Amino acid sequence: PIPVSSLGSDSITKNAVVEEIPAGMRAITVKVDQESAIEGWAQAGNYVDLILIKSFAGTQGATSLEAKVISENIKILSTGGITASQSTEKSTQIPSTVTLLVSQEDALKIKTADSIGKLTFALRGLADKQPTIAKNITQNDFLDHAKKIKTEEEQFKGYAKSSDGKVFVLKGQSRWTVSKDSESPMDIK
């Protein structure tokens, strides 16, 4: 015979993580380190974007890097086995694992990405639910962008230095802007 107490829902062991998983969603665990877990600031109840950093064959056979957002606005269910209901303040220890609440598709993407390269988090603010604007950048994109910035800074018609040391550059049609560098593009003193 089966005791009546075994038939009730109280016989099922309570599990804080399982109770947080809505229908159609999954919980997966990823390994983290101090950098990827944002020095431990990524805690249960917070939301993160997951970024994959991987190498790929670039131009002329050279290896290049790419950083790509693979999943966004992902809820952290637990860090190092500690859920939001168990955590009262920031732990001084960096967790070695983090459990995430994701769709089944994101679970597959994250687990595949984990074997391709390094996963890291971008921690979101408490009220930030906005979609990610920048989805990926390659090493070449980054270097090309740096070249474009330098080229734009070199295109000036004049410069002036104020008494407080700020350098102003005359660009375009008589438009003065503060130089991003403490010195002018021509390294004036």
Side-chain angles (χ1 to χ4, degrees), residues 104-166:
Q104 187 172 8
E105 180 183 354
D106 280 344
L108 295 172
K109 284 194 297 189
I110 293 166
K111 285 304 188 178
T112 302
D114 194 26
S115 65
I116 294 173
K118 178 179 172 62
L119 285 178
T120 190
F121 297 151
L123 183 62
R124 287 179 168 258
L126 294 175
D128 183 6
K129 303 294 184 206
Q130 297 295 319
T132 303
I133 296 170
K135 296 288 186 178
N136 73 315
I137 187 166
T138 66
Q139 180 178 338
N140 293 337
D141 294 336
F142 177 74
L143 294 174
D144 288 345
H145 183 67
K147 289 177 189 175
K148 289 177 189 173
I149 291 172
K150 186 173 183 179
T151 302
E152 289 172 8
E153 287 179 354
E154 290 171 353
Q155 297 175 357
F156 65 93
K157 295 181 179 181
Y159 55 86
K161 191 169 187 178
S162 66
S163 61
D164 63 355
K166 289 184 183 176

Side-chain angles (χ1 to χ4, degrees), residues 3-188:
V4 175
S5 63
S6 296
L7 299 176
S9 62
D10 292 339
S11 66
I12 299 172
T13 306
K14 299 283 184 186
N15 182 320
V17 171
V18 172
E19 292 172 7
E20 290 283 321
I21 303 173
M25 300 295 280
R26 304 292 185 262
I28 62 167
T29 301
V30 294
K31 291 180 183 179
V32 294
D33 57 19
Q34 185 170 358
E35 178 189 358
S36 61
I38 311 157
E39 295 182 326
W41 291 109
Q43 296 183 15
N46 294 147
Y47 287 81
V48 294
D49 294 338
L50 266 70
I51 299 170
L52 168 65
I53 301 169
K54 67 176 186 125
S55 59
F56 67 97
T59 58
Q60 301 165 348
T63 301
S64 293
L65 293 175
E66 177 184 29
K68 181 176 188 173
V69 176
I70 58 168
S71 296
E72 53 187 299
N73 208 22
I74 303 296
K75 184 177 182 181
I76 298 174
L77 293 177
S78 72
T79 56
I82 298 172
T83 63
S85 61
Q86 297 169 327
S87 176
T88 57
E89 58 184 58
K90 182 186 179 300
S91 172
T92 57
Q93 293 190 352
I94 307 300
S96 60
T97 59
V98 172
T99 300
L100 307 168
L101 178 64
V102 297
S103 67
Q104 187 172 8
E105 180 183 354
D106 280 344
L108 295 172
K109 284 194 297 189
I110 293 166
K111 285 304 188 178
T112 302
D114 194 26
S115 65
I116 294 173
K118 178 179 172 62
L119 285 178
T120 190
F121 297 151
L123 183 62
R124 287 179 168 258
L126 294 175
D128 183 6
K129 303 294 184 206
Q130 297 295 319
T132 303
I133 296 170
K135 296 288 186 178
N136 73 315
I137 187 166
T138 66
Q139 180 178 338
N140 293 337
D141 294 336
F142 177 74
L143 294 174
D144 288 345
H145 183 67
K147 289 177 189 175
K148 289 177 189 173
I149 291 172
K150 186 173 183 179
T151 302
E152 289 172 8
E153 287 179 354
E154 290 171 353
Q155 297 175 357
F156 65 93
K157 295 181 179 181
Y159 55 86
K161 191 169 187 178
S162 66
S163 61
D164 63 355
K166 289 184 183 176
V167 176
F168 296 85
V169 179
L170 180 61
K171 292 184 178 181
Q173 301 292 335
S174 303
R175 185 173 155 223
W176 288 94
T177 58
V178 177
S179 175
K180 291 180 179 85
D181 300 322
S182 61
E183 300 297 326
S184 76
M186 298 197 54
D187 296 319
I188 61 166

